[in-house]
């Protein structure tokens, strides 16, 4: 590799600075807590919708059961009223017929009592189902409001991040032409292998890529050699700032 002037190496540090900022922003963008909460809230809303559908169907079934029982009770009441009127009108004089009518009325009263108990049970279920629907409605309103809030927040935060990314991207484009292509290729490869950091300054005898102190003898060797240096420990490109 040809030797590179200090100027190009310093520009490489500028490029690293932009790439580090871009990487930090991209990481932040991918892990916005507000976006994660928004996804959770949307999932919760879907669950609430599905629960509300089930509760609504249940309400219709209960409503049908209630109407059916009320209809049956009404029919029995009409029959009982008619039979009672016959008994008390004196129109039936045959004792057998009278007795049959009276025991019929008794049976009807028993039937009605059973149906009324069933109706009461259904009405209790209707009440409990209605409160369940009310709770679901409240939860849906709350979750929808939270989702709207989060959508606005996420959109603002993403907008800020994207604006910063764009500005760093533009800055990066300005720096790239100042760096020889072989140096740039080496930097890109190292950056890929080493967590986004391909070039690091050597400051106060320490590689700032891996924070390792370079032995004095090696430092002197680097100083004598000048140009492109690599950290013996992390293999990153070292830009000697001062020794
Ligand atoms: Zn190092």
């Amino acid at each position: 590799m040809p030797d590179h002037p200090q100027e190009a190496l310093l520009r490489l540090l500028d490029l690293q600075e932009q790439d580090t900022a871009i990487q930090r922003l991209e990481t932040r963008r991918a892990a916005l807590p507000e976006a994660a909460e928004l996804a959770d809230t949307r999932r919760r809303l879907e669950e609430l919708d599905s629960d509300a559908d089930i509760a609504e169907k249940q309400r219709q079934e209960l409503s049908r059961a209630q109407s059916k029982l009320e209809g049956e009770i009404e029919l029995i009441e009409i029959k009982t009223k008619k039979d009672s009127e016959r008994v008390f009108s004196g129109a039936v004089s045959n004792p057998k017929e009278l007795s049959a009518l009276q025991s019929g009325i008794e049976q009807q009263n028993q039937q009605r009592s059973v149906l009324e108990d069933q109706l009461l049970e259904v009405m209790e279920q209707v009440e409990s189902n209605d409160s369940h629907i009310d709770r679901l409605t409240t939860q849906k309103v709350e979750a929808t409001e939270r989702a709207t809030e989060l959508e606005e927040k996420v959109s603002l935060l993403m907008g800020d991040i994207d604006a910063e990314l764009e500005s760093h991207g533009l800055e990066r484009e300005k720096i790239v032409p100042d760096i020889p292509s072989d140096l740039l290729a080496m930097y890109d490869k190292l950056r890929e292998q080493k967590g986004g950091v391909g070039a690091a300054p050597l400051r106060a005898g320490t590689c700032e890529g891996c924070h390792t102190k370079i032995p004095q003898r090696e430092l002197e060797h680097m100083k004598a050699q000048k140009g492109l240096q690599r950290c013996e420990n992390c293999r990153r490109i070292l830009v000697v700032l001062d020794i």
Side-chain angles (χ1 to χ4, degrees):
M1 179 165 287
D3 214 355
H4 294 292
Q6 181 73 356
E7 204 177 309
L9 291 166
L10 288 173
R11 285 305 268 164
L12 191 63
L13 281 188
D14 292 340
L15 187 66
Q16 178 66 70
E17 203 178 299
Q18 296 306 320
D19 283 335
T20 301
I22 289 168
Q23 193 184 28
R24 184 174 46 80
L25 288 163
E26 279 170 350
T27 305
R28 197 167 158 239
R29 197 184 198 287
L32 270 186
E34 288 83 356
E37 197 193 334
L38 178 58
D40 281 347
T41 309
R42 283 180 176 150
R43 266 195 297 278
R44 170 116 185 86
L45 265 173
E46 276 175 28
E47 280 170 17
L48 286 169
D49 275 337
S50 139
D51 288 352
D53 280 351
I54 293 168
E56 190 53 48
K57 284 197 184 91
Q58 181 76 5
R59 172 147 76 181
Q60 286 167 10
E61 274 170 32
L62 287 168
S63 184
R64 273 195 294 275
Q66 184 179 345
S67 303
K68 187 168 173 271
L69 285 167
E70 282 167 348
E72 283 169 9
I73 290 167
E74 205 189 337
L75 282 177
I76 290 176
E77 277 170 350
I78 291 167
K79 186 158 170 40
T80 306
K81 194 169 174 258
K82 214 175 104 191
D83 290 352
S84 298
E85 276 167 6
R86 282 191 72 200
V87 168
F88 292 111
S89 69
V92 182
S93 52
N94 180 335
K96 266 191 184 171
E97 202 184 327
L98 202 59
S99 163
L101 266 176
Q102 277 166 338
S103 69
I105 290 171
E106 225 167 88
Q107 266 185 4
Q108 287 158 25
N109 285 340
Q110 277 169 6
Q111 273 177 8
R112 201 185 61 193
S113 170
V114 169
L115 290 172
E116 277 172 350
D117 285 348
Q118 288 176 0
L119 180 62
L120 206 66
E121 213 173 285
V122 168
M123 283 164 81
E124 276 167 11
Q125 286 175 12
V126 167
E127 203 179 319
S128 142
N129 193 57
D130 279 351
S131 355
H132 180 50
I133 289 175
D134 285 348
R135 274 198 304 276
L136 287 173
T137 307
T138 310
Q139 286 169 353
K140 268 172 71 175
V141 168
E142 284 167 3
T144 305
E145 279 172 7
R146 185 70 188 136
T148 309
E149 260 175 43
L150 286 167
E151 272 161 18
E152 282 168 16
K153 265 192 196 170
V154 168
S155 154
L156 279 175
L157 289 168
M158 293 275 191
D160 287 349
I161 293 174
D162 287 345
E164 277 189 68
L165 275 173
E166 199 190 339
S167 122
H168 286 295
L170 289 173
E171 202 52 45
R172 189 182 201 282
E173 275 174 34
K174 280 191 227 160
I175 299 169
V176 166
D178 298 344
I179 298 165
S181 59
D182 57 342
L183 183 60
L184 190 64
M186 182 196 253
Y187 163 77
D188 280 337
K189 203 173 158 199
L190 281 167
R191 198 155 61 90
E192 209 174 285
Q193 292 167 351
K194 297 188 177 295
V197 181
L202 176 68
R203 219 190 307 252
T206 301
C207 162
E208 291 192 357
C210 64
H211 304 284
T212 297
K213 195 131 185 100
I214 311 286
Q216 191 58 37
R217 226 177 57 188
E218 181 63 24
L219 282 177
E220 276 160 20
H221 181 67
M222 284 179 177
K223 194 179 171 186
Q225 270 200 329
K226 291 183 181 155
L228 180 78
Q229 303 294 334
R230 302 279 296 272
C231 171
E232 290 243 312
N233 183 52
C234 69
R235 302 305 298 152
R236 290 184 175 97
I237 298 165
L238 267 184
V239 182
V240 183
L241 293 186
D242 62 75
I243 294 178

